[in-house]
Amino acid sequence: MISKKTIYAFKALIHLAGTPSGQPVLIADLARDENIPKKFLEFILLSLRKGGLLQSRVGKGGGYTLALPANKITIGSIVRILEGDIAPVQCLSTTNYARCEECRDEATCGIRLTMTDVNVALATVLDGLTLADMVERSEAARNTLQNVVDYSI
Amino acid sequence: MISKKTIYAFKALIHLAGTPSGQPVLIADLARDENIPKKFLEFILLSLRKGGLLQSRVGKGGGYTLALPANKITIGSIVRILEGDIAPVQCLSTTNYARCEECRDEATCGIRLTMTDVNVALATVLDGLTLADMVERSEAARNTLQNVVDYSI
DNA sequence: TGTTATGTCTATAGAATTAATAGACTAAAA
DNA sequence: TTTTAGTCTATTAATTCTATAGACATAACA
């Protein structure tokens, strides 16, 4: 289950992706519009910036903008930055590897050998989806619904 | 990331799958052999029994056995019992659905529309793997390693 | 029948993680 | 040099996860 922190990040990124490019958005505005606790959002945006997904400018006229086009920002990269990892077991993590406490032998651990498949499946789907997908799918759904409404009038 | 509870469940189930069929295993033995806190394991085994994956018998000669052959026990079913769910967002859960707090409109939520793919990928891989895979892959790895050792002598 | 073995159940305590807040600091612009 | 806005470090609050305790119920067997 994805944490609230990551959901907040998605919301903020979607908001930024929908802002005319170059126009910085203030943390305060983002927090208000998306209903995210401001201080918590600060921390999230900072993580995303350090992760290379956002750019910021301080001072008047400052704020946050995407550092890349939305279709270059994968959902996987967002999750990795905020959840620390994607792997279902830490002994499978590349970014955050740790041996499992009581693992007698990693090479023959049935849990690990099976979770590898899960890890690959997750990484594949998460790295195949981007912020642009989030925006586009939402728009597509809105349009479809709009048509339904139009017809029904 | 999978919880310790679920890892303990895997270990216990693998142990049971490796026990001659019909032979009940005591909680105490499982706890000792697999290095799992006994009371915690009690609770885990109880959950698995209520979930239909284990059978138990009380009294002398009692203990736990698998309720199904290992190749009929999917990893997905184990995870669902212990983690409550598989879905990355609760609004996508079938077993445990809940509307996301601040979701304005579920039908057009970009997060939800994207996480659907993740949900499907996860369910597919988890329901395609079984306890038997865990056991077999471990054995296969052991055999391979054994051969390497043999050759090197 | 009663004694022992074993799982069941409810409650609670402790630890770890996640979510949220506070306040001082730094950088940029006008 | 004043105002705006992000940065950083600490701390607190809430929640979830892990673990433990103890009384209870059930089955086997002498």
Side-chain angles (χ1 to χ4, degrees):
Chain A
M1 198 71 71
I2 281 176
S3 71
K4 230 161 168 175
K5 190 166 64 173
T6 302
I7 299 289
Y8 288 157
F10 287 148
K11 288 190 175 183
L13 287 164
I14 289 170
H15 187 118
L16 290 173
T19 303
S21 77
Q23 286 227 344
V25 179
L26 301 185
I27 296 179
D29 291 350
L30 219 37
R32 178 175 26 76
D33 293 353
E34 300 298 335
N35 231 289
I36 303 171
K38 181 162 172 263
K39 279 291 181 177
F40 197 25
L41 180 59
E42 262 182 26
F43 170 74
I44 293 167
L45 295 178
L46 208 52
S47 305
L48 291 170
R49 201 211 57 184
K50 287 179 179 168
L53 304 188
L54 294 180
Q55 280 183 325
S56 65
R57 264 176 55 196
V58 180
K60 180 144 191 171
Y64 275 98
T65 53
L66 297 185
L68 303 167
N71 66 0
K72 296 295 179 200
I73 297 182
T74 69
I75 304 303
S77 66
I78 301 168
V79 173
R80 282 196 193 85
I81 289 169
L82 291 160
E83 307 275 308
D85 221 312
I86 270 179
V89 203
Q90 231 175 1
C91 64
L92 282 173
S93 168
T94 43
T95 49
N96 229 344
Y97 171 86
R99 193 185 179 77
C100 300
E101 302 181 12
E102 297 258 16
C103 192
R104 282 154 195 170
D105 178 14
E106 219 170 66
T108 62
C109 171
I111 300 173
R112 183 183 148 98
L113 290 167
T114 311
M115 284 301 137
T116 299
D117 288 13
V118 180
N119 195 30
V120 169
L122 258 181
T124 302
V125 66
L126 287 173
D127 289 333
L129 289 165
T130 70
L131 182 55
D133 291 313
M134 282 197 172
V135 174
E136 284 161 18
R137 291 185 187 194
S138 179
E139 272 169 21
R142 252 195 303 276
N143 289 339
T144 304
L145 285 182
Q146 188 56 46
N147 284 343
V148 171
V149 172
D150 286 350
Y151 281 123
S152 73
I153 289 173
Chain B
M1 198 72 71
I2 280 176
S3 71
K4 230 163 170 173
K5 191 165 64 173
T6 301
I7 300 288
Y8 287 157
F10 287 148
K11 288 191 177 181
L13 286 164
I14 289 169
H15 187 119
L16 289 173
T19 304
S21 76
Q23 286 228 343
V25 179
L26 301 185
I27 296 179
D29 290 351
L30 261 178
R32 179 176 24 76
D33 293 353
E34 300 298 334
N35 231 289
I36 303 171
K38 180 162 171 264
K39 280 291 182 178
F40 198 24
L41 180 59
E42 261 181 30
F43 170 73
I44 292 167
L45 295 178
L46 209 51
S47 306
L48 291 170
R49 201 212 56 182
K50 287 177 179 170
L53 303 188
L54 294 180
Q55 281 183 324
S56 65
R57 264 176 54 195
V58 181
K60 180 142 193 176
Y64 275 98
T65 53
L66 297 185
L68 303 168
N71 67 359
K72 296 295 180 199
I73 297 180
T74 68
I75 305 303
S77 66
I78 301 168
V79 173
R80 283 195 192 87
I81 288 170
L82 291 160
E83 307 274 309
D85 224 310
I86 271 178
V89 203
Q90 232 175 359
C91 65
L92 281 175
S93 168
T94 43
T95 49
N96 229 344
Y97 171 85
R99 194 186 178 77
C100 301
E101 300 181 15
E102 297 258 16
C103 191
R104 283 154 195 172
D105 178 15
E106 218 170 66
T108 61
C109 171
I111 299 173
R112 182 185 149 95
L113 290 167
T114 311
M115 284 301 137
T116 300
D117 288 14
V118 180
N119 194 31
V120 169
L122 258 181
T124 302
V125 67
L126 288 174
D127 290 332
L129 290 165
T130 71
L131 182 55
D133 291 313
M134 282 197 171
V135 174
E136 285 160 18
R137 290 184 187 192
S138 179
E139 271 169 21
R142 251 195 304 276
N143 289 338
T144 304
L145 284 181
Q146 188 56 44
N147 285 341
V148 171
V149 173
D150 286 350
Y151 281 122
S152 73
I153 288 174

